[in-house]
Amino acid sequence: MDLIRICALNSSSKEVMIVLQEAIECLRTCLDDEEHEDDENLVQRVIGIVALFSPAMSRSRLGKRSALDLYSPVLTNVASLITSVSPFATREKGRVLITEVARLVKSLNVWASEFGDADGPQEIKVISCLAVRRTVVIFVQSLLRDLLDTTVISCAPSIQASLAKWRDGEDAMLEVQVRADRSLATKRVTLRMQLALEDLGTTHWNPRSFSDLVYLAHSTPPVTLSPYGADIFYLLINALQMNMVVDESLFLLFRILTDENVSMSPDVATSLCTVLTALASTHLDPTIRQLNLRLLSLTLSNLAPPSRFEMLLKLTTDEDFPQMRGPAVGLLKESVLEALALPPDHAPRNPFASPELLRVFGGVLFRPNPPGFFNESKTREELAQSLELLRIADCLSFYYVLLQRDRENKTGVRSRGNVTSVQSFILGPLQRFLDENTAGEEQPLMAMLSLQVGLDRIEGALKMLDLARDT
């Protein structure tokens, strides 16, 4: 790249611009050809074009043209090329492309600010309205910002800063951090972005686009995010829905949700729960799935108990994402334990610490899904892959914890009628199911062993409470 820049600086700027226009047209032809050349070579050619534009345009004479007349077609063409070739960029090439575009933006912004008006007699310049020139410069800066935004969004996967990272701790708590061991290349490219934005006079206080989220997440030092308006939440939701800048969006979302001053409307929380549920259920990276579960828990904690109750019912019965039903039981358990820990005068009409809990969730948690699950014949492989067995294990854990922690029987879990119902609909049928499917097996499935442990714990708890009977 340094050699390319030297050539551009020591050649006629007019001739360089002509060559670049021809190179753009040639590259467009290659991209339109289905049997085009090596994809990575296309990216390298675009990088070369961007590297040449900066010294060539900054030495161009405007004549009767404004800076906007010169910039507009060139920058539009470059942005179009970057969008077309970015899917072929490797991590290294993507970083180089972002760096070169940031350098181009800085260089052209300085030039436009100094020479933004057309050459002409001095007296005309004096008489000419200064606002016209400033308007041209603003439009040019807008074009430069659009180019930088396009590049950052197109090459965002190349940054690979891993801002959102799950770390196992003593209590398996979530910790999102900026990696201290980020590569020098990552630091350089994010610094280039930040410097280019500062030259354009851009601030991060009111993010309006996906590229803003990238700049905001990588800003050094970190930018204060509060106060939080609905706009930033909906921007983050849209980014996650479109699977764009996911790493940066999750990182920012964690920073927001862990702020004690955060508040959000029920509509925002509901929309956020929907998109986090989808990511927690379908994302290919298990650490991202786990992270989304924690973010989902934090979002639910911002809902009033009735709305939270309704959302958890939806999650535990989700037909679109059945893999979410099991983890949703864990989220329900968090809400119930939180409600049970509240003193009576601080928990008015809290459905999580009332008989309404079992009235609503009893038929969901303490029934197999589908109802005939225990009667269906299944192979060992099918049982090993069964989501229902995992869900039932979570339900048994929930029931055991509720028996132990609801000492005042606020939910009615220790009432004999409820205990008998649970024994009849889930505990007894499950025990018979386990007996039938583990008989004669030297190495029962881990899921089956886990269910048996859950049953034994519950049986022990019921005996301690003098509520046990033969199942």
Side-chain angles (χ1 to χ4, degrees):
M1 290 302 103
D2 291 336
L3 180 59
I4 291 177
R5 273 186 282 274
I6 291 173
C7 292
L9 285 170
N10 290 276
S11 302
S12 166
S13 60
K14 184 176 181 180
E15 292 179 359
V16 172
M17 292 294 290
I18 292 174
V19 170
L20 287 174
Q21 292 287 5
E22 293 176 350
I24 288 175
E25 293 301 323
C26 180
L27 200 51
R28 278 180 171 172
T29 302
C30 291
L31 289 168
D32 292 337
D33 185 0
E34 294 183 358
E35 298 180 359
H36 56 69
E37 60 184 288
D38 179 62
D39 293 336
E40 189 173 343
N41 186 44
L42 292 175
V43 180
Q44 185 60 48
R45 289 175 62 182
V46 173
I47 292 173
I49 289 173
V50 175
L52 275 173
F53 263 129
S54 179
M57 291 186 70
S58 61
R59 294 187 301 114
S60 296
R61 293 182 60 81
L62 295 174
K64 295 182 179 181
R65 298 171 298 177
S66 69
L68 184 61
D69 295 331
L70 178 62
Y71 278 178
S72 184
V74 173
L75 297 182
T76 301
N77 288 334
V78 171
S80 177
L81 285 179
I82 290 173
T83 301
S84 299
V85 304
S86 59
F88 312 132
T90 61
R91 180 179 61 182
E92 290 74 18
K93 296 295 184 185
R95 287 174 172 175
V96 172
L97 185 53
I98 294 175
T99 300
E100 291 300 327
V101 169
R103 182 181 281 114
L104 172 66
V105 168
K106 283 175 62 66
S107 174
L108 298 189
N109 180 59
V110 172
W111 179 72
S113 300
E114 294 177 352
F115 306 102
D117 56 337
D119 294 336
Q122 185 64 32
E123 59 272 17
I124 295 179
K125 289 186 179 182
V126 173
I127 297 173
S128 176
C129 180
L130 185 60
V132 174
R133 180 186 176 191
R134 289 177 176 171
T135 300
V136 170
V137 173
I138 290 172
F139 274 112
V140 170
Q141 290 178 333
S142 177
L143 286 171
L144 293 173
R145 173 63 193 268
D146 289 344
L147 174 62
L148 185 61
D149 288 352
T150 298
T151 307
V152 167
I153 292 301
S154 300
C155 302
S158 299
I159 300 176
Q160 293 188 347
S162 296
L163 294 172
K165 179 185 177 187
W166 175 274
R167 296 183 63 192
D168 291 326
E170 180 177 349
D171 298 317
M173 293 297 291
L174 176 69
E175 183 178 343
V176 177
Q177 62 172 19
V178 179
R179 273 189 177 175
D181 60 344
R182 279 195 298 168
S183 68
L184 184 59
T186 298
K187 294 178 181 178
R188 283 174 176 169
V189 71
T190 54
L191 179 60
R192 285 283 185 182
M193 292 189 309
Q194 188 169 341
L195 292 175
L197 281 173
E198 290 174 357
D199 278 10
L200 292 174
T202 304
T203 62
H204 308 294
W205 307 111
N206 185 27
R208 300 181 301 274
S209 65
F210 294 163
S211 56
D212 286 332
L213 297 179
V214 177
Y215 306 138
L216 190 58
H218 292 284
S219 60
T220 305
V223 174
T224 302
L225 297 177
S226 60
Y228 311 107
D231 289 346
I232 189 171
F233 284 112
Y234 283 119
L235 184 59
L236 290 166
I237 290 169
N238 289 337
L240 295 175
Q241 285 176 330
M242 298 176 66
N243 199 32
M244 299 286 289
V245 296
V246 172
D247 184 42
E248 288 81 3
S249 297
L250 293 177
F251 172 71
L252 291 174
L253 192 55
F254 181 81
R255 284 187 59 192
I256 293 172
L257 293 177
T258 52
D259 189 331
E260 60 183 12
N261 296 319
V262 67
S263 63
M264 64 181 76
S265 68
D267 289 342
V268 168
T270 300
S271 299
L272 195 53
C273 285
T274 301
V275 68
L276 291 175
T277 297
L279 279 173
S281 302
T282 62
H283 201 282
L284 297 179
D285 188 339
T287 61
I288 295 297
R289 294 199 300 271
Q290 198 169 15
L291 169 59
N292 276 275
L293 278 177
R294 289 296 89 202
L295 292 175
L296 184 56
S297 174
L298 291 169
T299 304
L300 288 169
S301 67
N302 281 280
L303 285 171
S307 299
R308 189 174 182 181
F309 195 80
E310 183 179 348
M311 177 57 66
L312 283 167
L313 179 61
K314 179 181 177 182
L315 293 176
T316 53
T317 58
D318 200 321
E319 295 294 336
D320 295 327
F321 301 108
Q323 59 269 56
M324 189 64 207
R325 296 174 193 163
V329 177
L331 298 175
L332 175 63
K333 180 164 60 177
E334 291 179 5
S335 300
V336 172
L337 292 178
E338 178 184 315
L340 291 175
L342 294 173
D345 56 336
H346 285 75
R349 301 177 60 83
N350 192 316
F352 293 105
S354 73
E356 187 179 358
L357 175 71
L358 293 183
R359 253 196 325 268
V360 174
F361 283 93
V364 175
L365 304 184
F366 308 130
R367 303 283 194 283
N369 187 5
F373 180 82
F374 292 145
N375 299 322
E376 297 172 357
S377 177
K378 293 180 174 59
T379 65
R380 182 181 175 89
E381 290 72 21
E382 289 173 333
L383 291 174
Q385 299 175 6
S386 173
L387 292 174
E388 179 60 9
L389 292 184
L390 298 178
R391 187 194 73 90
I392 293 174
D394 289 324
C395 293
L396 294 181
S397 174
F398 171 82
Y399 186 60
Y400 173 77
V401 170
L402 188 59
L403 281 171
Q404 298 282 38
R405 297 293 293 274
D406 189 9
R407 299 181 180 88
E408 298 178 14
N409 201 26
K410 296 178 180 178
T411 64
V413 67
R414 296 184 179 186
S415 301
R416 287 197 175 274
N418 283 329
V419 172
T420 301
S421 177
V422 172
Q423 289 174 328
S424 300
F425 285 102
I426 188 72
L427 301 184
L430 176 59
Q431 185 63 70
R432 291 190 290 273
F433 172 80
L434 293 177
D435 293 341
E436 293 171 1
N437 285 275
T438 58
E441 289 195 0
E442 295 182 2
Q443 293 183 330
L445 293 171
M446 185 60 66
M448 308 291 270
L449 292 176
S450 176
L451 290 171
Q452 187 61 62
V453 170
L455 284 175
D456 293 342
R457 287 203 310 168
I458 290 172
E459 183 64 21
L462 291 174
K463 287 181 178 179
M464 290 290 294
L465 298 171
D466 196 26
L467 294 170
R469 71 169 177 81
D470 293 334
T471 58

